[in-house]
Amino acid sequence: MKNKLKYDDLSRVWVLIPVETKAREYHAKLLLSCVAAEAGFGVILGRKGILEFNVRFLPRGILFSNNILTGKEKLFRRYRRMGYTVAAWCEEGIAYRNRESYRNERVSRQALGELERFFAWGNYHAEDVMRAADFSDHRKIVPSGSPRLDLLRPEFREFYRSEADKIRARYGRIVLVNTNFHRFNHFLGRGVYLNDLKKKGKISTPEREAFFQGWIDFLERMYGAFSKMLKPLGAALPDHTIIVRPHPSEDHDAWREETKTLPNVKVLHQGSSLPWILSSEAVVHNSCATGIEAFAMDVPVVSYRPFSSEIYDSFLPNAVSRQAFSEDDLVGIVKALTSGKEIEDKSHVEEKRGMARAFFGGLEGPLASENIVASLRQLRVRHRPFAPNRIHALTRELAVRTLLPVRASFRKMIRTPHPQAAYFHQKFPSLSLSEVRSDMNRLRKISGRFKNVQAVQVGETLFCLTSPEGK
């Protein structure tokens, strides 16, 4: 396939899939893109900001959003006027504090009304979205599971095996400590999170401000407890490397400062969390989605809970983990796990598995990606090519490939860098065609599928995936 789109192909429905945080989403959405292309869709996959900036130059079809927050209804209406069918999921639906807070903070009834499909992580998540939605919109909500869950299944763990082996070869025996304290320890500075909420109009009353300030204060205490426990944990495991992996939105340098005197503690945030989980003998967290990921991948996982809150704790990540309520508890449990001792009976583990199955779709049976694609095929979407004729196609290709990058370069020369540029780079460092193709080859190898799915680059961090023999 030449390095261009088939502009005159009227048979395809196009699906546009944005990636906001590369380490969290990219591999899963690449898998979804391959499944969709195999089924006959044309797919545009790429960095969220770049995809949205170029959306007027891209083929009309099904356009995904990463959330349905208040305010998105205006954007969704604009996309619909442009000719798109809008669908969405919620990346935060894997783990939230409680059902009422999720409905109040993450679901906009008006935004949901503008969608044709909303893909939930499972029945539990779907129920919460339905409770916040108009009854007429319930049909739009599909408990499909998430592509991120597909990569946790045994058949796809091999995707990360070689990377996990390299990590172990470099760092030896690993205990992974995942942190999730960005509301306090934000990349852009402490206090930024609350100020940003105020700017976006999400704090309308003194009570709401007190709620979020209380959450930040809670996480400040948890941050302090985690930084304090790293010294005794590292001392108790001198033959291990303790890897601290901060949240993508956290200030990683703050953690480096906290750990600079600890010889076997390293602060690293490289690539997806999944190979790091797979390479670890134990995972430590608090209210973090990586606790769910580790449990689903059969890696021993511990929730460190030196104090707790019925308001601010997330239920499921802690519930599927072993519980440590003090430094001594934590050190003892992690030492037992790294010694190969089983500290839970099988019935308790199976009870947790049943809980996870109740929360999430796609852990067994058809892939979540297949559930999503099957639902997309039911939508009545007007077939539109990349451009209505060859003249328009060439114009759009010129805009995406040439004019937009040139304009971006010119703006860089005459304007100071965006104040959040480093933050955006931390969340999405880069993505090249060679990386996409390499990852597709890994998916082909472990799945035996996607032989005819091909990728070309159509813009900065924008990639088109198609199969000439789509179903």
Side-chain angles (χ1 to χ4, degrees):
M1 183 178 180
K2 294 182 180 180
N3 194 32
K4 60 176 65 177
L5 295 171
K6 294 181 69 177
Y7 302 106
D8 58 347
D9 190 346
L10 291 170
S11 65
R12 296 189 191 279
V13 173
W14 290 91
V15 183
L16 281 65
I17 302 178
V19 180
E20 183 173 11
T21 302
K22 183 182 178 184
R24 178 180 68 179
E25 305 159 35
Y26 158 60
H27 288 140
K29 290 181 177 177
L30 179 64
L31 172 60
L32 172 62
S33 298
C34 288
V35 172
E38 185 182 61
F41 289 95
V43 180
I44 304 292
L45 172 72
R47 180 174 175 174
K48 177 178 176 288
I50 301 296
L51 189 151
E52 291 177 348
F53 182 68
N54 290 333
V55 71
R56 57 188 153 168
F57 300 103
L58 297 175
R60 304 307 191 254
I62 302 167
L63 175 60
F64 271 95
S65 172
N66 275 3
N67 61 65
I68 49 171
L69 294 171
T70 298
K72 281 297 184 78
E73 58 273 9
K74 296 179 181 178
L75 181 64
F76 294 168
R77 282 194 289 270
R78 182 166 71 86
Y79 288 154
R80 290 179 62 191
R81 287 195 296 269
M82 293 173 67
Y84 287 103
T85 298
V86 187
W89 40 51
C90 177
E91 295 296 344
E92 305 301 329
I94 186 173
Y96 42 90
R97 293 176 294 107
N98 59 65
R99 309 187 84 163
E100 182 180 0
S101 67
Y102 179 80
R103 294 193 296 269
N104 290 337
E105 297 167 19
R106 305 294 309 183
V107 182
S108 163
R109 185 188 302 264
Q110 292 75 23
L112 189 61
E114 300 294 331
L115 300 178
E116 288 299 322
R117 284 291 186 275
F118 179 86
F119 295 101
W121 287 78
N123 290 325
Y124 184 94
H125 183 210
E127 288 172 5
D128 285 332
V129 177
M130 285 181 182
R131 288 179 183 177
D134 291 329
F135 180 78
S136 60
D137 289 328
H138 285 192
R139 62 177 178 78
K140 303 175 180 179
I141 301 165
V142 181
S144 58
S146 166
R148 287 167 58 186
L149 296 173
D150 292 337
L151 295 174
L152 308 181
R153 292 167 55 138
E155 61 266 39
F156 279 99
R157 290 177 203 167
E158 295 305 309
F159 182 82
Y160 296 107
R161 185 69 61 186
S162 62
E163 191 174 351
D165 290 343
K166 291 177 183 177
I167 291 170
R168 277 193 294 268
R170 180 170 183 181
Y171 296 106
R173 303 178 68 184
I174 292 172
V175 171
L176 182 65
V177 177
N178 288 296
T179 71
N180 186 29
F181 311 138
H182 60 287
R183 290 174 180 85
F184 162 67
N185 180 42
H186 198 278
F187 179 92
L188 296 174
R190 297 174 185 181
V192 165
Y193 177 76
L194 189 65
N195 290 335
D196 187 56
L197 290 176
K198 292 177 180 177
K199 289 179 182 177
K200 292 179 179 178
K202 295 183 179 181
I203 295 179
S204 55
T205 66
E207 290 77 16
R208 292 298 290 167
E209 181 171 357
F211 168 82
F212 282 107
Q213 186 60 61
W215 196 357
I216 293 167
D217 294 342
F218 176 81
L219 293 177
E220 181 178 8
R221 290 179 63 206
M222 193 65 72
Y223 173 95
F226 264 66
S227 61
K228 182 174 177 289
M229 69 79 172
L230 290 171
K231 184 175 181 178
L233 183 63
L237 299 167
D239 297 329
H240 287 71
T241 303
I242 313 299
I243 301 291
V244 178
R245 181 183 170 91
H247 188 278
S249 295
E250 279 196 66
D251 180 357
H252 298 179
D253 286 338
W255 281 108
R256 295 186 183 99
E257 182 66 23
E258 298 281 1
T259 60
K260 65 183 180 182
T261 62
L262 306 179
N264 62 331
V265 178
K266 296 184 179 297
V267 178
L268 297 170
H269 191 285
Q270 300 168 357
S272 168
S273 64
L274 300 187
W276 291 91
I277 292 172
L278 199 60
S279 68
S280 302
E281 296 183 16
V283 173
V284 179
H285 74 98
N286 178 278
S287 295
C288 184
T290 52
I292 297 171
E293 293 170 338
F295 175 77
M297 296 178 80
D298 300 313
V299 175
V301 57
V302 185
S303 175
Y304 181 44
R305 305 181 69 191
F307 47 87
S308 61
S309 168
E310 293 183 1
I311 299 174
Y312 300 120
D313 281 331
S314 292
F315 168 71
L316 188 62
N318 296 331
V320 298
S321 305
R322 298 157 175 89
Q323 306 283 314
F325 298 102
S326 69
E327 284 185 4
D328 290 343
D329 281 347
L330 178 67
V331 171
I333 292 172
V334 174
K335 285 188 71 174
L337 292 173
T338 57
S339 300
K341 297 178 181 178
E342 181 50 61
I343 60 174
E344 283 187 313
D345 59 55
K346 292 183 179 179
S347 63
H348 194 199
V349 174
E350 187 52 40
E351 181 182 340
K352 291 180 178 180
R353 293 193 187 285
M355 185 189 305
R357 285 192 290 269
F359 273 75
F360 300 125
L363 288 177
E364 299 171 342
L367 298 175
S369 296
E370 292 171 333
N371 294 335
I372 291 171
V373 169
S375 183
L376 294 181
R377 295 182 78 167
Q378 296 171 6
L379 294 176
R380 297 183 64 182
V381 181
R382 180 181 175 186
H383 288 219
R384 297 188 181 194
F386 184 78
N389 57 54
R390 188 60 185 166
I391 300 296
H392 288 162
L394 289 172
T395 302
R396 283 189 171 176
E397 181 179 20
L398 180 66
V400 173
R401 290 182 180 276
T402 307
L403 295 182
L404 292 178
V406 167
R407 189 176 76 166
S409 298
F410 181 70
R411 290 180 67 186
K412 288 178 182 178
M413 288 188 295
I414 65 173
R415 296 177 62 180
T416 58
H418 193 286
Q420 298 185 13
Y423 173 52
F424 295 144
H425 180 75
Q426 178 169 288
K427 293 183 70 174
F428 199 113
S430 64
L431 184 61
S432 66
L433 180 60
S434 61
E435 183 177 356
V436 171
R437 287 176 171 170
S438 174
D439 291 335
M440 288 174 62
N441 285 334
R442 290 161 63 193
L443 288 173
R444 291 187 187 104
K445 184 176 180 180
I446 63 174
S447 69
R449 298 173 59 175
F450 317 130
K451 178 181 177 181
N452 296 314
V453 177
Q454 299 173 341
V456 298
Q457 187 163 0
V458 294
E460 181 187 356
T461 62
L462 290 179
F463 306 89
C464 171
L465 278 72
T466 58
S467 172
E469 300 175 10
K471 298 175 184 176

